[in-house]
Amino acid sequence: MRGVVFDGKQAQVVDDLEVRAPGPGEVRVRIAAAGLCHSDLSVIDGTIPFPVPVVLGHEGAGAVEAVGAGVTHVVVGDHVSLSTLANCGTCPECDRGRPTMCRQAIGRPGKPFTRQGKPLFNFASNSAFAELTVVKAVQAVKIAPEIPLTSAALIGCGVLTGVGAVLNRARVGLGESVVVIGTGGIGLNVLQGARIAGASRIVAVDNNPAKEALARQFGATDFVADAASVRDLLPHGADHVFECVGRTALIRQAIDLLDRHGQALLLGVPPADAEASFRVSSMFLDKAILGCRYGSSRPQRDIALYADLYRQGRLLLDELVTETYPVEDFAKAVDDAAHGRVARGVLTF
């Protein structure tokens, strides 16, 4: 079967992948569509260190092809959106409703794939850049068949992370102010999360003026080219500032833009050894800096919720899909994503 493999030097489309049958508590899914997220690019460029060889992709949707023993919540033929969170469901963190903190779900990649007899790692417990993949049952969330799979694919990472950061981690309140630095796939979902939460002022910050129309469509009330201009709109600062790029200089700017009792949320992923600085004295007005893993999400609950909001017309998905690419055009999809030509490119099989 076809898939995208990164060997540590280059990512290429191959046609000789194999994936094992699902074991107990697992599901095999035939992938129809997979979003190309910057986390995939970050593995390729070394920003995110990951063992190789690995089958890339972590934002996908498709149809259940087979289920392992004990799986009852989905059956063969069901349409599913996949999460990257292979949480165990039984540890103290899972039991407290914090599956993103599950110690069994981080840093333990499996090897369900083989190529020419050699095992390959899966990426983010998912590997959606393959015609078939095997995931834990908890990662497969049933969705209505009328939702286009090219749109449903985006729920499992970009929507969970961006909208989830607003609703679950920041808990943005009605009438509060929000600043979003970076309007790529994650930033756009933060914008619509803020809109859904009822924020009164939502300022998008991006140095690419071509992104303004889409940012406003997703919920921005204002659009500026640089963070310094935010003070013209919010002289006292913002209640919530989301950094969605992953640059330490922008992290500092996010912190500096906070109003009293404001909070900065870090969603962009800088290099693993990056360090950011801030003026400590500025924090004593009850300000906070919050990390956020995967939108502090509970995927079985949240994916279903976001799919329902989409069906109600309250959450945008189709508008995120700027371009679709057959998997053979992976190199072009990467180039378009790396140069900001698309909000989200989607690979199709």
Side-chain angles (χ1 to χ4, degrees):
M1 68 175 181
R2 294 171 297 168
V4 178
V5 175
F6 178 60
D7 63 6
K9 296 181 180 179
Q10 65 175 346
Q12 60 178 330
V13 180
V14 303
D15 60 6
D16 56 354
L17 276 182
E18 296 182 5
V19 67
R20 62 172 173 77
E26 293 181 332
V27 176
R28 185 162 65 187
V29 177
R30 180 166 294 278
I31 298 294
L36 178 57
C37 172
H38 272 273
S39 293
D40 299 299
L41 304 184
S42 293
V43 172
I44 295 171
D45 67 21
T47 301
I48 297 178
F50 204 88
V52 293
V54 57
V55 180
L56 294 176
H58 64 283
E59 189 181 69
V64 174
E65 186 179 79
V67 299
V71 177
T72 59
H73 74 291
V74 293
V75 299
V76 172
D78 280 348
H79 285 194
V80 292
S81 177
L82 301 183
S83 85
T84 72
L85 194 62
N87 60 296
C88 70
T90 59
C91 71
E93 295 296 344
C94 286
D95 197 47
R96 295 172 71 185
R98 300 174 179 172
T100 59
M101 296 296 107
C102 175
R103 297 184 188 278
Q104 302 299 316
I106 303 174
R108 301 188 180 193
K111 295 181 178 179
F113 298 95
T114 57
R115 184 184 181 212
Q116 298 174 359
K118 298 180 180 179
L120 291 83
F121 289 100
N122 63 357
F123 178 53
S125 304
N126 190 308
S127 291
F129 291 170
E131 290 184 272
L132 291 169
T133 191
V134 170
V135 298
K136 286 190 175 182
V138 72
Q139 296 176 254
V141 183
K142 184 177 178 179
I143 58 173
E146 63 264 27
I147 299 177
L149 291 173
T150 49
S151 296
L154 306 184
I155 301 177
C157 178
V159 175
L160 278 182
T161 299
V163 178
V166 175
L167 302 182
N168 300 328
R169 184 66 166 137
R171 297 177 183 262
V172 171
L174 184 67
E176 292 185 328
S177 57
V178 171
V179 173
V180 181
I181 301 176
T183 59
I186 299 300
L188 288 172
N189 279 296
V190 174
L191 289 172
Q192 71 171 334
R195 170 177 51 78
I196 291 168
S200 62
R201 201 75 182 266
I202 306 172
V203 183
V205 181
D206 201 297
N207 60 11
N208 184 352
K211 294 185 177 183
E212 180 174 358
L214 196 58
R216 289 186 180 276
Q217 184 178 7
F218 272 72
T221 60
D222 303 271
F223 186 95
V224 296
D226 57 82
S229 300
V230 173
R231 287 288 181 179
D232 296 332
L233 303 171
L234 300 170
H236 297 297
D239 296 312
H240 309 273
V241 182
F242 296 80
E243 200 282 337
C244 304
V245 180
R247 295 180 186 167
T248 55
L250 295 178
I251 291 172
R252 171 59 185 269
Q253 289 182 329
I255 296 167
D256 289 345
L257 285 173
L258 295 177
D259 195 357
R260 299 181 181 195
H261 207 272
Q263 52 187 16
L265 283 97
L266 312 185
L267 300 183
V269 181
D273 59 352
E275 296 183 0
S277 64
F278 60 92
R279 186 176 293 109
V280 177
S281 62
S282 71
M283 301 301 294
F284 292 118
L285 293 172
D286 284 359
K287 299 179 183 181
I289 303 169
L290 302 180
C292 184
R293 173 175 165 77
Y294 202 41
S296 301
S297 297
R298 291 164 289 177
Q300 284 289 334
R301 171 190 179 274
D302 290 348
I303 289 177
L305 170 63
Y306 300 152
D308 193 47
L309 289 175
Y310 166 79
R311 295 173 69 191
Q312 296 174 29
R314 298 171 61 192
L315 183 137
L316 305 180
L317 290 177
D318 304 340
E319 296 81 358
L320 279 170
V321 184
T322 313
E323 188 70 58
T324 58
Y325 308 85
V327 68
E328 290 79 10
D329 288 344
F330 175 73
K332 183 180 187 304
V334 168
D335 189 64
D336 286 348
H339 290 88
R341 301 187 192 105
V342 292
R344 207 49 140 213
V346 174
L347 299 180
T348 58
F349 290 90

